[in-house]
């Protein structure tokens, strides 16, 4: 047997009112009969049938008087399944309803004053049966009510003929309208829940992609650049090992230092993905001042303006941009010197990386597609820098002329741009 769905507060309220009305009408009808017909031979039967009807009504939930979700959904208006496709009520519920109706009919035949107990039974039938079967049963109950009222009347009264059908029609219309509204609300809630789940899944996917992009930039700007520098230094040491052992050993020592920094970066990536140069409260200026581009390139650092506190993500991004730019200077530019300038301009912070390398030709827009150091835009270098600056609401510009070096400038606003 299917378990009924949990009822909402409004459904429970309607059920409570219906049950209370049924027992109130049943008690009033029994009291009326006992007062109007004292000592009649049928009185024990009336009392026994009234008690039986009460017990049957109370036993309704035990036999599954509440329809399963599919039956209610089939009565749910335009958005619900057609009535013809609604699942049939379980046999136990049909037997229970049949006993209720049969007991009430016998009571009405013996005492017509019990006719108005049919109004709560209208809702019982509508909750239990398919729509068409429920309407047929409501019509039959209404017919019995009309007949019973005419029997009680001493003279013909049009109200007795018209009032019961009007009450039945009103009760049926209110119930059907309420059920359709409930089904529409349930469908809306289901749509909202489904939409929320889809949005959550989309946000998780976007967060995963963003994190993967960030990790790729972190790895490129640290581990990949360090490994590239080590390779170049070791190759240089191999070429000069026999002819200039001192220079070769210097290259090896430099490569060892780069390897140590690379190991620290790898451990930092595993730990918390924060730049090791900024660990321990070190500022961005100190981290930039400690950067180098290899043994053959002199790196100078300049600080302009009054330093202002920078968010951690801004410091990390600018440091990574400087590291990537210096790596490109070392690998592609052929420069002898490079200058890092960190400028605090009130509403923004600007990092300039300039070199005296061979430069490259670029479009007049000043945001060429090169690496910023004389090489074509390849790998993750310049795209990673642009992505970092774009995430902070800033801009990245490149100025380069063949034979005159290159200047890369990253400007980040100090206030969020939204």
């Amino acid at each position: 047997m299917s378990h009924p769905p949990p009822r909402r507060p409004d459904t429970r309220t309607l059920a409570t009112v219906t049950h209370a009305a049924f027992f109130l009408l049943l008690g009033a009808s029994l009291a009326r009969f006992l007062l109007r017909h004292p000592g009649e031979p049928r009185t024990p039967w009336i009392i026994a049938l009234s008690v039986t009807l009460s017990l049957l009504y109370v036993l309704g939930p035990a036999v599954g008087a509440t329809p399963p979700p599919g039956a209610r959904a089939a009565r749910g208006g335009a958005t619900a399944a057609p009535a013809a496709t609604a699942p049939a009520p379980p046999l136990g519920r049909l037997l229970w309803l049949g006993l209720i109706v049969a007991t009430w009919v016998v009571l009405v035949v013996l005492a017509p004053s019990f006719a108005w107990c049919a109004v709560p039974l209208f809702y019982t039938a509508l909750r239990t049966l398919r729509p068409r079967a429920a309407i047929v049963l409501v019509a039959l109950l209404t017919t019995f009510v009309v007949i019973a009222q005419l029997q009680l009347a001493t003279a013909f009264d049009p109200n007795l003929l018209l009032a019961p059908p009007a009450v039945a029609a009103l009760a049926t219309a209110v119930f059907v309208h309420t059920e359709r509204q409930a089904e529409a609300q349930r469908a809306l809630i289901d749509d909202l829940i489904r939409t929320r789940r889809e949005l959550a899944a989309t946000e998780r996917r976007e967060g995963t992609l963003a994190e993967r992009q960030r990790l790729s930039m972190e790895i490129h700007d640290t581990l990949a650049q360090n490994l590239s520098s080590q390779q170049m230094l070791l190759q240089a040491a191999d070429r000069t090992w026999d002819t200039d052992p001192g220079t070769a050993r210097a290259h090896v020592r430099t490569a060892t230092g780069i390897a140590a920094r690379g190991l620290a970066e790898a451990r930092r990536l595993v730990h918390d993905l924060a730049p090791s140069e900024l660990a321990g409260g070190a500022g961005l200026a100190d981290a930039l001042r400690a950067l180098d581009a290899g043994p053959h390139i002199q790196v100078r650092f300049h600080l302009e303006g009054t330093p202002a506190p920078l968010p951690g993500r801004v410091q990390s991004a600018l440091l990574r941009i400087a590291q990537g730019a210096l790596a490109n200077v070392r690998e592609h530019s052929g420069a002898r010197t490079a200058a890092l300038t960190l400028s605090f301009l009130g509403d923004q912070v600007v990092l300039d990386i300039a070199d005296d390398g061979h430069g490259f030709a670029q479009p007049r827009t000043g945001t060429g597609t090169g690496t910023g150091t004389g090489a074509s835009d390849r790998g993750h270098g310049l795209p990673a820098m642009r992505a970092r600056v774009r995430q902070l609401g800033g801009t990245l510009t490149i100025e380069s002329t063949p034979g005159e070096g290159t200047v890369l400038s990253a400007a980040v606003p100090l206030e969020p741009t939204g």
Side-chain angles (χ1 to χ4, degrees):
M1 180 179 294
S2 299
H3 294 283
R7 295 185 179 181
R8 303 190 318 276
D10 54 350
T11 305
R12 290 195 298 267
T13 301
L14 177 61
T16 302
V17 172
T18 303
H19 299 336
F22 174 79
F23 288 108
L24 181 62
L25 290 173
L26 182 62
S29 301
L30 179 60
R32 182 181 185 277
F33 175 82
L34 295 177
L35 292 174
R36 294 282 183 94
H37 309 280
E40 284 219 7
R42 53 182 172 166
T43 298
W45 289 100
I46 296 299
I47 296 176
L49 289 172
S50 298
V51 174
T52 302
L53 185 60
S54 300
L55 293 176
L56 287 173
Y57 196 89
V58 170
L59 290 175
V63 296
T66 303
R72 285 193 176 186
R75 293 198 290 265
T79 60
T85 63
L91 180 60
R93 190 158 59 244
L94 292 177
L95 292 176
W96 170 81
L97 181 61
L99 289 175
I100 285 277
V101 173
T103 305
W104 173 82
V105 169
V106 175
L107 265 176
V108 172
V109 171
L110 296 177
S113 58
F114 284 85
W116 284 110
C117 293
V119 176
L121 296 182
F122 292 164
Y123 290 101
T124 302
L126 290 168
R127 287 198 306 268
T128 304
L129 300 176
R130 292 179 178 179
R132 292 180 181 178
I135 292 174
V136 171
L137 181 57
V138 168
L140 292 176
L141 296 177
T142 305
T143 302
F144 271 91
V145 173
V146 172
I147 295 173
Q149 293 302 305
L150 292 176
Q151 288 178 353
L152 291 174
T154 56
F156 178 76
D157 187 349
N159 285 333
L160 300 179
L161 185 63
L162 300 177
V167 172
L170 178 62
T172 303
V174 170
F175 181 86
V176 171
H177 178 70
T178 303
E179 284 294 295
R180 287 180 176 176
Q181 283 190 326
E183 286 301 326
Q185 291 177 356
R186 281 191 285 269
L188 179 60
I189 291 173
D190 290 342
D191 289 340
L192 291 176
I193 293 175
R194 183 172 60 255
T195 301
R196 184 175 63 182
R197 290 174 178 171
E198 293 175 354
L199 288 176
T202 301
E203 290 177 355
R204 286 194 295 270
R205 288 194 297 269
E206 291 179 352
T208 301
L209 293 175
E211 184 66 12
R212 291 178 62 181
Q213 182 184 18
R214 188 172 72 89
L215 286 174
S216 68
M217 292 187 298
E218 292 280 348
I219 293 173
H220 172 271
D221 292 340
T222 56
L223 300 181
Q225 297 291 4
N226 286 337
L227 290 174
S228 176
S229 300
Q230 293 174 52
Q231 181 184 29
M232 293 178 60
L233 289 168
L234 293 176
Q235 289 175 346
D238 181 65
R239 289 192 298 269
T240 61
W241 192 265
D242 296 328
T243 58
D244 192 351
T247 301
R249 283 192 292 270
H251 289 331
V252 172
R253 286 193 294 270
T254 303
T256 302
I258 295 176
R261 290 196 298 271
L263 179 60
E265 286 291 344
R267 290 172 176 170
R268 190 270 312 163
L269 283 172
V270 173
H271 184 260
D272 60 359
L273 297 178
S276 58
E277 293 86 354
L278 298 175
L284 177 62
D286 294 334
L288 293 175
R289 188 177 287 110
L291 295 180
D292 64 77
H296 302 298
I297 301 176
Q298 181 183 5
V299 179
R300 297 189 301 269
F301 173 76
H302 305 280
L303 179 63
E304 297 183 357
T306 303
L310 297 177
R313 60 196 301 259
V314 174
Q315 296 188 62
S316 177
L318 292 179
L319 177 60
R320 294 305 185 211
I321 290 173
Q323 289 174 327
L326 289 179
N328 287 339
V329 169
R330 178 177 60 249
E331 295 179 12
H332 306 297
S333 71
R336 303 297 299 175
T337 60
L340 299 178
T341 304
L342 182 64
S343 304
F344 291 88
L345 305 179
D347 60 341
Q348 64 178 348
V349 58
V350 181
L351 175 64
D352 297 313
I353 303 99
D355 66 72
D356 60 355
H358 49 66
F360 62 95
Q362 63 166 0
R364 292 190 175 186
T365 57
T367 59
T369 59
T371 63
T373 57
S376 60
D377 186 5
R378 67 177 184 176
H380 292 275
L382 186 59
M385 298 180 195
R386 284 178 173 153
R388 291 181 186 277
V389 174
R390 185 167 56 249
Q391 290 173 358
L392 299 174
T395 57
L396 181 73
T397 58
I398 302 171
E399 298 178 1
S400 184
T401 303
E404 297 183 9
T406 301
V407 177
L408 183 147
S409 179
V412 177
L414 293 183
E415 293 294 334
T417 61

